[in-house]
Amino acid sequence: MLVQLRQYKHEEVQFDDNRTTGESQTEDTVNPDSEEYFGKDMDELDVETWETVEHEDDPIQRRSVTIGGVTAVSVPRKPTDEDDPDLPGQTIQLRMGGGIENLAQAEIVEVQDENPQEPEAEGKVSKEDESHGKASMDEEP
């Protein structure tokens, strides 16, 4: 399965620069012309980018996470030690071929099958065919 999540953390504010609380630290440090600087567009690079959003009038950071190859998704019944009641989300447990990964302070956005199997239609009649009735080929109009 392909799982898309949002993960949250407290903003790591550094007051030794000219930045004000709420400004994104990640965007401020990235050269806006990334293709010229890195030789590639930023979307092509595997970079962890957190954006600053507001939650209950406080700035927090959020990122989108997409993970493939997941076989099961679960949410613990009770909060874990990693869960922070001041942030949205909770611990999400992902089971994959190589083991189990926990993502703290996460919310599920979407889960989808990467390789959906089409059911075989052989021997099945649609409700539309049943309700309208079909004339056989031998009947005259």
Side-chain angles (χ1 to χ4, degrees):
M1 291 184 290
L2 187 65
V3 178
Q4 183 179 7
L5 306 152
R6 282 195 195 107
Q7 189 175 27
Y8 299 90
K9 70 177 183 175
H10 288 285
E11 185 176 41
E12 299 168 5
V13 179
Q14 300 170 356
F15 289 103
D16 60 347
D17 61 5
N18 294 328
R19 214 174 53 79
T20 60
T21 302
E23 287 182 73
S24 172
Q25 294 179 33
T26 54
E27 289 177 2
D28 294 345
T29 59
V30 175
N31 186 334
D33 190 5
S34 60
E35 192 160 357
E36 182 180 315
Y37 187 80
F38 294 111
K40 285 187 173 185
D41 189 82
M42 281 300 292
D43 294 336
E44 296 175 34
L45 298 173
D46 187 21
V47 177
E48 184 176 288
T49 302
W50 292 84
E51 65 178 323
T52 300
V53 296
E54 246 186 64
H55 174 69
E56 297 179 359
D57 297 326
D58 288 325
I60 62 171
Q61 291 187 306
R62 174 181 71 190
R63 71 174 177 163
S64 290
V65 180
T66 303
I67 301 172
V70 177
T71 57
V73 177
S74 60
V75 178
R77 286 186 187 180
K78 296 179 181 177
T80 66
D81 292 339
E82 296 176 3
D83 289 331
D84 184 340
D86 295 333
L87 291 171
Q90 62 191 55
T91 297
I92 305 290
Q93 190 175 61
L94 305 173
R95 193 171 335 138
M96 297 175 278
I100 295 174
E101 182 175 335
N102 290 322
L103 254 65
Q105 299 311 129
E107 295 177 326
I108 297 171
V109 175
E110 183 176 14
V111 177
Q112 60 178 261
D113 190 351
E114 291 176 290
N115 299 310
Q117 300 290 323
E118 290 291 324
E120 290 186 28
E122 198 173 314
K124 294 185 179 179
V125 177
S126 74
K127 291 185 186 257
E128 188 175 298
D129 289 345
E130 288 177 4
S131 63
H132 295 300
K134 291 172 86 176
S136 78
M137 297 290 256
D138 297 335
E139 290 182 28
E140 291 186 26

